[in-house]
Amino acid sequence: DAGVIQSPRHEVTEMGQEVTLRCKPISGHDYLFWYRQTMMRGLELLIYFNNNVPIDDSGMPEDRFSAKMPNASFSTLKIQPSEPRDSAVYFCASSFEGAGALGYTFGSGTRLTVV
Amino acid sequence: QKEVEQDPGPLSVPEGAIVSLNCTYSNSAFQYFMWYRQYSRKGPELLMYTYSSGNKEDGRFTAQVDKSSKYISLFIRDSQPSDSATYLCAMSAGGSYIPTFGRGTSLIVHP
């Protein structure tokens, strides 16, 4: 398996533009997580899905952020409109039932810069 | 006070040194204690974990948990330049799926 695949690896965009980050989880994993990492705040959980259903989105900072998982092999995180304070590295991770926190596999992340 | 506290460093040591990385926590319900390693431009990956208290050893790495003090440690013996990375502690309560991460400590091992 190729692991968790994220695209793009880097994204530079202007303030106010829409940004879409993509994630392909490991086949067979039924949990998918979106995290944001910054120097100041570390790794923050934004939202997670179980069997394609959003379970907890309390970490989504505001209505400008939205996430979808239309099927078991694809998820998107969208920011509209983007702001400079959204600049961070966004990680997707997947895991499987029964593994708990020990089953996480992270992607390599998308480095977002909003200018 | 955050649930998990971790000094971000950076911690710079010479090759061959013994490294000690630490986290403190406030939630008594935490049962699983994990250490992730994150290389530059990569996602975190699980290095090792401990359930409840005690020590666990894996090669040059030793994880320790002291639940009475709410303090966990990761020791690296004979550190190598390839150990240079950010080390994140993470913890989760029994029955709770989502781990709480520390901010990570940046480690630099110079030749």
Side-chain angles (χ1 to χ4, degrees), chain A residues 18-80:
Chain A
E18 177 180 293
V19 175
T20 299
L21 312 181
R22 298 173 175 79
C23 175
K24 176 179 168 55
I26 290 176
S27 177
H29 281 193
D30 46 13
Y31 283 85
L32 184 139
F33 306 84
W34 282 101
Y35 282 87
R36 178 171 67 177
Q37 188 176 42
T38 61
M39 291 290 290
M40 289 298 298
R41 301 175 68 90
L43 205 57
E44 301 174 279
L45 177 65
L46 300 177
I47 185 172
Y48 78 95
F49 296 83
N50 178 218
N51 291 321
N52 313 336
V53 176
I55 303 301
D56 185 354
D57 65 354
S58 60
M60 298 285 260
E62 45 198 278
D63 292 344
R64 297 184 297 106
F65 286 69
S66 62
K68 294 181 180 179
M69 192 164 185
N71 56 63
S73 58
F74 184 66
S75 178
T76 59
L77 178 68
K78 186 176 293 186
I79 308 172
Q80 165 64 19

Side-chain angles (χ1 to χ4, degrees), chain A residues 9 31 33 35 37 39-40 43 45 48 91 95-96 100-102 104 106-108 111, chain B residues 2 32 34 36 38 41-46 49 88 92 96-99 101-103:
Chain A
R9 289 299 310 274
Y31 283 85
F33 306 84
Y35 282 87
Q37 188 176 42
M39 291 290 290
M40 289 298 298
L43 205 57
L45 177 65
Y48 78 95
F91 288 102
S95 187
F96 53 96
L102 307 180
Y104 270 34
F106 283 86
S108 292
R111 184 172 296 272
Chain B
K2 289 174 70 80
Y32 289 91
M34 293 150 278
Y36 283 78
Q38 184 178 16
R41 310 283 180 175
K42 297 289 187 183
E45 52 184 351
L46 183 64
Y49 74 94
L88 298 93
S92 67
S96 171
Y97 197 91
I98 308 298
F101 285 88
R103 285 176 56 192

Side-chain angles (χ1 to χ4, degrees), chain B residues 50-64:
Chain B
T50 310
Y51 174 73
S52 194
S53 282
N55 294 0
K56 186 172 185 177
E57 188 173 319
D58 184 1
R60 297 183 295 110
F61 298 86
T62 300
Q64 275 187 0

